[in-house]
Amino acid sequence: MSIDYKAEIERLKKELDVTVVAHFYQRDEVFEMADITGDSLELARKCQADSNPWVVFCGVGFMGQSVKVIAPHKRVLMPKVADCAMARMIDASYFDDSVDYMVERGIAKENILPITYINSDASVKAKVGEMGGLVCTSSNAFKIIEKGLESGKKILFVPDRCLGQNFANSMGLKSCVIGEGECDPKEADIICFNGFCSVHQLFTLDDIAFYRERYPDIKIAVHPECDPKIVEAADFSGSTSQLIKYVNDLDPEQKVAIGTEYNLVNRMRERNTYVLSSTKPECPTMNETTLEDLYLTLKSIEDGEPINEIIVDPHTVKYANLALERMLAIK
Ligand code: CIZ
Ligand code: SF4
Protein backbone atom coordinates (compact mmCIF):
# COMPACT_ATOMS: atom_id res chain seq x y z
CA MET A 1 0.00 0.00 0.00
CA SER A 2 1.36 3.43 -0.84
CA ILE A 3 2.18 5.86 1.95
CA ASP A 4 -0.03 8.92 2.50
CA TYR A 5 2.91 11.33 2.85
CA LYS A 6 0.84 14.30 3.98
CA ALA A 7 -0.89 12.34 6.75
CA GLU A 8 2.40 10.77 7.86
CA ILE A 9 4.16 14.16 7.91
CA GLU A 10 1.33 15.61 10.03
CA ARG A 11 1.59 12.65 12.44
CA LEU A 12 5.38 12.93 12.75
CA LYS A 13 5.21 16.70 13.30
CA LYS A 14 2.82 16.13 16.22
CA GLU A 15 4.93 13.39 17.77
CA LEU A 16 8.40 14.93 17.39
CA ASP A 17 9.93 18.13 18.81
CA VAL A 18 10.56 19.36 15.29
CA THR A 19 9.95 22.52 13.31
CA VAL A 20 9.55 22.18 9.55
CA VAL A 21 10.86 25.21 7.67
CA ALA A 22 10.38 26.04 3.97
CA HIS A 23 11.65 28.82 1.72
CA PHE A 24 9.28 30.60 -0.70
CA TYR A 25 10.89 28.86 -3.69
CA GLN A 26 9.94 25.37 -2.50
CA ARG A 27 7.32 23.28 -4.32
CA ASP A 28 3.75 24.00 -3.15
CA GLU A 29 3.15 20.58 -1.60
CA VAL A 30 6.31 20.92 0.52
CA PHE A 31 5.69 24.61 1.33
CA GLU A 32 2.19 23.77 2.64
CA MET A 33 3.62 21.35 5.21
CA ALA A 34 5.90 23.94 6.85
CA ASP A 35 5.48 25.52 10.31
CA ILE A 36 7.73 28.43 9.33
CA THR A 37 7.93 29.98 5.85
CA GLY A 38 9.61 33.11 4.51
CA ASP A 39 12.71 34.53 2.89
CA SER A 40 16.12 33.64 4.25
CA LEU A 41 16.24 36.59 6.67
CA GLU A 42 12.80 35.83 8.11
CA LEU A 43 13.65 32.12 8.32
CA ALA A 44 16.93 32.78 10.15
CA ARG A 45 15.21 35.07 12.67
CA LYS A 46 12.24 32.74 13.21
CA CYS A 47 14.44 29.65 13.61
CA GLN A 48 16.62 31.48 16.15
CA ALA A 49 13.51 32.32 18.20
CA ASP A 50 11.98 28.83 17.89
CA SER A 51 12.40 26.46 20.84
CA ASN A 52 12.24 23.02 19.16
CA PRO A 53 15.59 21.16 19.22
CA TRP A 54 15.07 19.72 15.71
CA VAL A 55 14.80 21.73 12.50
CA VAL A 56 13.94 20.12 9.16
CA PHE A 57 14.84 22.74 6.58
CA CYS A 58 13.37 22.58 3.07
CA GLY A 59 15.57 24.89 1.02
CA VAL A 60 19.15 24.99 -0.22
CA GLY A 61 22.35 24.22 1.66
CA PHE A 62 23.39 27.69 2.80
CA MET A 63 20.01 28.20 4.50
CA GLY A 64 20.26 25.08 6.69
CA GLN A 65 23.89 25.96 7.43
CA SER A 66 22.88 29.46 8.52
CA VAL A 67 20.44 28.04 11.09
CA LYS A 68 23.19 25.74 12.41
CA VAL A 69 25.59 28.70 12.65
CA ILE A 70 23.21 30.97 14.59
CA ALA A 71 21.79 28.16 16.73
CA PRO A 72 24.57 25.52 16.98
CA HIS A 73 22.73 23.58 19.70
CA LYS A 74 19.93 22.69 17.25
CA ARG A 75 19.99 19.54 15.13
CA VAL A 76 19.37 20.68 11.55
CA LEU A 77 18.38 18.18 8.85
CA MET A 78 17.73 18.94 5.18
CA PRO A 79 15.45 16.60 3.18
CA LYS A 80 17.75 17.26 0.19
CA VAL A 81 21.14 18.81 0.66
CA ALA A 82 20.82 20.74 -2.60
CA ASP A 83 23.16 23.67 -3.11
CA CYS A 84 22.34 27.08 -4.57
CA ALA A 85 24.21 27.40 -7.88
CA MET A 86 25.27 30.96 -7.04
CA ALA A 87 26.63 29.97 -3.62
CA ARG A 88 28.75 27.31 -5.36
CA MET A 89 30.50 29.95 -7.47
CA ILE A 90 32.66 31.10 -4.56
CA ASP A 91 34.67 29.25 -1.92
CA ALA A 92 37.17 30.41 0.72
CA SER A 93 40.09 30.44 -1.75
CA TYR A 94 38.20 32.51 -4.37
CA PHE A 95 37.31 34.87 -1.55
CA ASP A 96 41.02 35.21 -0.64
CA ASP A 97 41.84 35.80 -4.33
CA SER A 98 39.33 38.67 -4.40
CA VAL A 99 40.93 40.27 -1.35
CA ASP A 100 44.37 39.83 -2.99
CA TYR A 101 43.03 41.48 -6.17
CA MET A 102 42.16 44.59 -4.19
CA VAL A 103 45.39 44.57 -2.16
CA GLU A 104 47.47 44.27 -5.37
CA ARG A 105 45.67 47.36 -6.68
CA GLY A 106 46.56 49.48 -3.68
CA ILE A 107 43.80 48.90 -1.11
CA ALA A 108 45.22 47.78 2.24
CA LYS A 109 43.50 44.73 3.70
CA GLU A 110 42.38 46.68 6.78
CA ASN A 111 40.60 49.11 4.47
CA ILE A 112 38.42 46.39 2.94
CA LEU A 113 35.01 45.59 4.42
CA PRO A 114 33.61 42.36 2.99
CA ILE A 115 29.85 41.85 2.74
CA THR A 116 28.52 38.49 1.64
CA TYR A 117 25.05 37.85 0.32
CA ILE A 118 23.52 35.13 2.51
CA ASN A 119 23.65 32.87 -0.57
CA SER A 120 27.16 31.65 0.25
CA ASP A 121 28.78 28.74 2.02
CA ALA A 122 29.49 29.01 5.77
CA SER A 123 33.24 28.91 5.00
CA VAL A 124 32.90 32.15 2.99
CA LYS A 125 30.81 33.74 5.75
CA ALA A 126 33.57 32.75 8.19
CA LYS A 127 36.20 34.52 6.06
CA VAL A 128 33.97 37.59 5.98
CA GLY A 129 33.39 37.41 9.75
CA GLU A 130 37.13 37.14 10.42
CA MET A 131 37.73 40.34 8.45
CA GLY A 132 35.10 42.24 10.44
CA GLY A 133 32.50 41.98 7.68
CA LEU A 134 28.87 40.97 7.63
CA VAL A 135 26.11 39.14 5.81
CA CYS A 136 23.18 40.68 3.93
CA THR A 137 20.06 39.33 2.27
CA SER A 138 18.09 40.79 -0.61
CA SER A 139 15.63 42.31 1.87
CA ASN A 140 18.17 44.20 3.98
CA ALA A 141 21.08 44.83 1.56
CA PHE A 142 20.40 48.59 1.41
CA LYS A 143 20.65 48.97 5.19
CA ILE A 144 23.67 46.68 5.47
CA ILE A 145 25.62 48.46 2.73
CA GLU A 146 24.68 51.83 4.26
CA LYS A 147 26.04 50.59 7.59
CA GLY A 148 29.16 49.24 5.87
CA LEU A 149 29.86 52.58 4.23
CA GLU A 150 29.99 54.25 7.65
CA SER A 151 33.30 52.42 8.18
CA GLY A 152 34.83 54.50 5.35
CA LYS A 153 36.23 51.28 3.85
CA LYS A 154 35.94 49.84 0.35
CA ILE A 155 33.23 47.22 0.17
CA LEU A 156 34.05 43.82 -1.31
CA PHE A 157 30.66 42.33 -2.20
CA VAL A 158 30.38 38.56 -2.80
CA PRO A 159 29.17 36.45 -4.56
CA ASP A 160 26.31 38.11 -6.52
CA ARG A 161 27.55 40.76 -8.95
CA CYS A 162 23.94 41.70 -9.84
CA LEU A 163 22.87 42.36 -6.26
CA GLY A 164 26.05 44.35 -5.63
CA GLN A 165 25.63 46.45 -8.79
CA ASN A 166 21.88 46.96 -8.29
CA PHE A 167 22.25 48.26 -4.76
CA ALA A 168 25.22 50.42 -5.77
CA ASN A 169 23.04 51.93 -8.53
CA SER A 170 20.10 52.54 -6.20
CA MET A 171 22.40 54.26 -3.68
CA GLY A 172 24.22 56.38 -6.26
CA LEU A 173 27.51 54.53 -5.68
CA LYS A 174 30.15 53.39 -8.15
CA SER A 175 30.65 49.64 -8.58
CA CYS A 176 32.78 47.33 -10.68
CA VAL A 177 33.01 43.58 -11.16
CA ILE A 178 36.30 41.71 -10.78
CA GLY A 179 37.12 40.06 -14.11
CA GLU A 180 34.68 42.18 -16.12
CA GLY A 181 36.32 45.05 -18.00
CA GLU A 182 38.45 47.51 -16.06
CA CYS A 183 37.75 47.07 -12.36
CA ASP A 184 39.91 49.51 -10.43
CA PRO A 185 39.07 49.22 -6.71
CA LYS A 186 40.40 52.75 -6.16
CA GLU A 187 37.73 54.13 -8.50
CA ALA A 188 34.75 52.18 -7.09
CA ASP A 189 32.85 52.12 -3.78
CA ILE A 190 31.65 48.52 -4.17
CA ILE A 191 33.86 45.87 -5.74
CA CYS A 192 31.80 42.82 -6.75
CA PHE A 193 32.75 39.18 -7.15
CA ASN A 194 31.62 37.84 -10.53
CA GLY A 195 28.89 35.40 -9.34
CA PHE A 196 25.26 35.31 -10.41
CA CYS A 197 22.01 33.34 -10.22
CA SER A 198 21.35 31.48 -13.47
CA VAL A 199 17.58 31.41 -12.79
CA HIS A 200 17.34 35.19 -12.48
CA GLN A 201 19.44 35.68 -15.64
CA LEU A 202 16.51 34.23 -17.63
CA PHE A 203 14.58 37.51 -17.54
CA THR A 204 15.39 39.69 -20.53
CA LEU A 205 14.66 43.17 -21.89
CA ASP A 206 12.72 41.43 -24.69
CA ASP A 207 10.43 39.86 -22.04
CA ILE A 208 9.77 43.29 -20.54
CA ALA A 209 9.14 44.81 -24.00
CA PHE A 210 6.77 41.95 -24.85
CA TYR A 211 4.59 42.56 -21.79
CA ARG A 212 4.68 46.35 -22.02
CA GLU A 213 3.60 46.20 -25.68
CA ARG A 214 0.79 43.75 -25.00
CA TYR A 215 -0.46 45.40 -21.78
CA PRO A 216 0.71 49.05 -21.73
CA ASP A 217 -0.39 49.52 -18.09
CA ILE A 218 1.30 46.41 -16.75
CA LYS A 219 3.76 46.69 -13.84
CA ILE A 220 7.07 44.84 -13.98
CA ALA A 221 8.41 43.62 -10.62
CA VAL A 222 11.73 41.80 -10.41
CA HIS A 223 14.21 40.40 -7.91
CA PRO A 224 17.56 42.23 -7.46
CA GLU A 225 19.39 39.06 -8.53
CA CYS A 226 18.31 40.05 -12.07
CA ASP A 227 20.76 41.86 -14.30
CA PRO A 228 21.03 45.64 -13.61
CA LYS A 229 19.53 46.51 -17.01
CA ILE A 230 16.42 44.46 -16.09
CA VAL A 231 16.11 46.11 -12.68
CA GLU A 232 16.50 49.52 -14.32
CA ALA A 233 13.73 48.79 -16.83
CA ALA A 234 11.36 47.42 -14.14
CA ASP A 235 8.83 49.37 -12.04
CA PHE A 236 9.85 47.66 -8.81
CA SER A 237 12.66 45.51 -7.51
CA GLY A 238 12.68 43.66 -4.20
CA SER A 239 13.34 40.48 -2.27
CA THR A 240 10.76 37.69 -2.29
CA SER A 241 8.91 39.09 0.77
CA GLN A 242 9.01 42.58 -0.72
CA LEU A 243 7.71 41.28 -4.08
CA ILE A 244 4.80 39.54 -2.32
CA LYS A 245 3.96 42.73 -0.43
CA TYR A 246 4.24 44.85 -3.59
CA VAL A 247 1.83 42.58 -5.50
CA ASN A 248 -0.65 42.31 -2.61
CA ASP A 249 -0.73 46.10 -2.23
CA LEU A 250 -1.65 46.63 -5.91
CA ASP A 251 -5.23 47.06 -7.02
CA PRO A 252 -6.46 43.47 -7.68
CA GLU A 253 -7.19 44.44 -11.31
CA GLN A 254 -3.61 45.64 -11.86
CA LYS A 255 -1.61 43.32 -14.11
CA VAL A 256 1.93 42.60 -12.96
CA ALA A 257 4.67 40.48 -14.57
CA ILE A 258 7.08 39.08 -12.00
CA GLY A 259 10.73 38.16 -12.45
CA THR A 260 11.62 35.61 -9.83
CA GLU A 261 11.47 31.86 -9.17
CA TYR A 262 8.42 30.10 -10.64
CA ASN A 263 6.97 28.48 -7.50
CA LEU A 264 6.58 31.84 -5.79
CA VAL A 265 5.03 33.53 -8.84
CA ASN A 266 2.69 30.60 -9.36
CA ARG A 267 1.48 30.87 -5.75
CA MET A 268 0.37 34.45 -6.49
CA ARG A 269 -1.91 33.35 -9.36
CA GLU A 270 -5.07 34.60 -7.64
CA ARG A 271 -3.70 38.09 -8.31
CA ASN A 272 -3.36 39.39 -11.86
CA THR A 273 0.15 38.00 -12.29
CA TYR A 274 2.31 36.83 -15.19
CA VAL A 275 5.65 35.03 -15.26
CA LEU A 276 8.16 37.46 -16.80
CA SER A 277 9.71 34.84 -19.08
CA SER A 278 8.84 32.45 -21.86
CA THR A 279 11.07 29.88 -20.14
CA LYS A 280 9.78 28.45 -16.85
CA PRO A 281 12.15 30.05 -14.32
CA GLU A 282 12.53 27.11 -11.96
CA CYS A 283 15.42 26.83 -9.54
CA PRO A 284 16.57 23.24 -10.09
CA THR A 285 17.98 22.76 -6.60
CA MET A 286 15.07 24.41 -4.76
CA ASN A 287 12.78 22.04 -6.67
CA GLU A 288 14.66 18.91 -5.65
CA THR A 289 12.92 18.52 -2.29
CA THR A 290 9.79 16.36 -2.53
CA LEU A 291 7.09 15.39 -0.05
CA GLU A 292 8.66 11.92 0.10
CA ASP A 293 12.04 13.43 1.06
CA LEU A 294 10.39 15.45 3.82
CA TYR A 295 8.60 12.35 5.10
CA LEU A 296 11.79 10.24 5.05
CA THR A 297 13.71 12.92 6.96
CA LEU A 298 11.07 13.19 9.69
CA LYS A 299 10.84 9.39 9.85
CA SER A 300 14.62 9.19 10.31
CA ILE A 301 14.26 11.26 13.50
CA GLU A 302 11.52 8.95 14.76
CA ASP A 303 13.70 5.93 13.97
CA GLY A 304 16.65 7.43 15.89
CA GLU A 305 18.86 7.49 12.77
CA PRO A 306 18.72 11.08 11.49
CA ILE A 307 19.72 11.58 7.86
CA ASN A 308 21.27 14.54 6.01
CA GLU A 309 22.31 16.36 9.15
CA ILE A 310 24.05 19.71 8.65
CA ILE A 311 27.41 19.73 10.41
CA VAL A 312 29.59 22.85 10.50
CA ASP A 313 33.03 22.75 12.14
CA PRO A 314 33.50 24.89 15.28
CA HIS A 315 36.00 27.35 13.71
CA THR A 316 33.59 28.04 10.84
CA VAL A 317 30.64 28.37 13.24
CA LYS A 318 32.55 30.87 15.36
CA TYR A 319 33.44 33.28 12.55
CA ALA A 320 30.39 32.76 10.32
CA ASN A 321 28.32 33.47 13.43
CA LEU A 322 30.03 36.84 13.82
CA ALA A 323 29.11 37.80 10.25
CA LEU A 324 25.49 36.63 10.64
CA GLU A 325 24.99 38.16 14.08
CA ARG A 326 26.34 41.52 12.86
CA MET A 327 23.57 41.42 10.26
CA LEU A 328 20.87 40.29 12.70
CA ALA A 329 21.81 43.10 15.08
CA ILE A 330 20.83 45.65 12.41
CA LYS A 331 17.04 46.02 12.59
O1 CIZ B 1 16.84 35.73 0.77
C1 CIZ B 1 16.20 34.84 0.24
O2 CIZ B 1 15.40 34.12 0.81
C2 CIZ B 1 16.34 34.63 -1.21
C3 CIZ B 1 17.21 33.55 -1.69
C4 CIZ B 1 15.65 35.39 -2.00
C5 CIZ B 1 14.81 36.46 -1.49
O3 CIZ B 1 14.84 37.53 -2.05
O4 CIZ B 1 14.08 36.29 -0.51
FE1 SF4 C 1 20.39 30.11 -5.69
FE2 SF4 C 1 19.24 31.29 -7.80
FE3 SF4 C 1 18.20 29.05 -6.79
FE4 SF4 C 1 18.04 31.37 -5.43
S1 SF4 C 1 17.05 30.89 -7.40
S2 SF4 C 1 18.59 29.36 -4.59
S3 SF4 C 1 20.02 32.29 -5.97
S4 SF4 C 1 20.24 29.26 -7.78
Side-chain angles (χ1 to χ4, degrees):
M1 214 184 73
S2 67
I3 300 170
D4 180 344
Y5 291 129
K6 279 194 174 183
E8 274 296 284
I9 291 168
E10 294 294 5
R11 175 186 72 76
L12 288 160
K13 287 207 312 176
K14 279 200 194 96
E15 286 172 15
L16 302 169
D17 294 327
V18 65
T19 299
V20 174
V21 178
H23 186 266
F24 285 133
Y25 293 163
Q26 289 287 295
R27 294 163 182 255
D28 287 353
E29 65 271 27
V30 171
F31 189 80
E32 283 157 15
M33 290 285 110
D35 305 301
I36 293 180
T37 58
D39 65 21
S40 49
L41 179 61
E42 293 163 343
L43 295 179
R45 284 197 197 280
K46 289 178 189 170
C47 286
Q48 202 177 29
D50 184 68
S51 60
N52 270 330
W54 291 92
V55 173
V56 171
F57 202 116
C58 306
V60 286
F62 73 83
M63 298 179 172
Q65 268 187 339
S66 295
V67 175
K68 187 72 189 167
V69 167
I70 52 177
H73 53 283
K74 285 187 191 281
R75 306 276 305 267
V76 183
L77 309 185
M78 297 195 73
K80 273 276 163 66
V81 188
D83 277 337
C84 159
M86 180 206 290
R88 286 172 55 182
M89 290 179 182
I90 186 167
D91 61 13
S93 73
Y94 282 141
F95 176 83
D96 287 342
D97 291 348
S98 307
V99 173
D100 290 347
Y101 178 93
M102 291 177 68
V103 171
E104 281 156 16
R105 283 157 186 81
I107 313 290
K109 192 170 172 184
E110 52 277 17
N111 290 332
I112 301 172
L113 182 77
I115 296 180
T116 181
Y117 188 27
I118 196 162
N119 297 34
S120 57
D121 191 75
S123 57
V124 173
K125 293 189 178 80
K127 284 274 176 187
V128 168
E130 262 185 288
M131 276 180 69
L134 62 174
V135 176
C136 78
T137 74
S138 41
S139 51
N140 66 11
F142 197 99
K143 257 194 224 162
I144 301 288
I145 294 172
E146 212 171 37
K147 186 83 193 156
L149 289 169
E150 284 173 16
S151 67
K153 298 182 181 184
K154 292 277 181 189
I155 291 177
L156 169 61
F157 192 90
V158 303
D160 189 5
R161 65 168 187 237
C162 295
L163 210 83
Q165 290 172 293
N166 283 324
F167 280 94
N169 290 346
S170 70
M171 300 171 86
L173 301 169
K174 278 181 90 174
S175 63
C176 67
V177 179
I178 299 173
E180 220 182 55
E182 279 299 305
C183 179
D184 180 355
K186 284 200 169 138
E187 295 298 318
D189 308 295
I190 301 186
I191 293 85
C192 306
F193 184 80
N194 202 356
F196 58 89
C197 165
S198 42
V199 180
H200 286 86
Q201 303 315 297
L202 289 173
F203 308 108
T204 63
L205 286 176
D206 280 348
D207 293 324
I208 296 181
F210 170 85
Y211 277 110
R212 291 218 194 273
E213 203 172 297
R214 181 157 294 202
Y215 308 114
D217 294 332
I218 199 166
K219 298 283 186 205
I220 308 288
V222 301
H223 195 278
E225 286 173 19
C226 294
D227 192 89
K229 60 181 183 294
I230 305 303
V231 170
E232 201 188 321
D235 299 296
F236 177 79
S237 148
S239 69
T240 49
S241 301
Q242 291 161 351
L243 285 169
I244 293 169
K245 181 169 186 326
Y246 175 78
V247 172
N248 287 340
D249 287 350
L250 290 174
D251 184 296
E253 294 304 310
Q254 173 67 52
K255 291 181 176 32
V256 53
I258 307 171
T260 195
E261 211 278 339
Y262 179 81
N263 287 329
L264 173 57
V265 183
N266 195 41
R267 224 172 275 132
M268 291 195 274
R269 284 287 188 204
E270 74 280 6
R271 310 293 295 198
N272 218 333
T273 53
Y274 297 80
V275 178
L276 181 67
S277 176
S278 52
T279 308
K280 199 176 179 186
E282 280 180 309
C283 173
T285 46
M286 278 286 185
N287 276 273
E288 275 190 28
T289 306
T290 63
L291 220 43
E292 182 184 14
D293 297 324
L294 175 54
Y295 159 71
L296 290 174
T297 309
L298 290 166
K299 185 82 176 71
S300 78
I301 303 176
E302 183 182 48
D303 294 345
E305 290 178 6
I307 57 170
N308 292 350
E309 180 158 9
I310 300 298
I311 307 288
V312 185
D313 71 83
H315 177 271
T316 305
V317 167
K318 180 177 168 190
Y319 289 103
N321 184 281
L322 285 178
L324 274 159
E325 288 293 349
R326 284 184 192 121
M327 169 184 84
L328 292 171
I330 298 171
K331 301 284 176 218

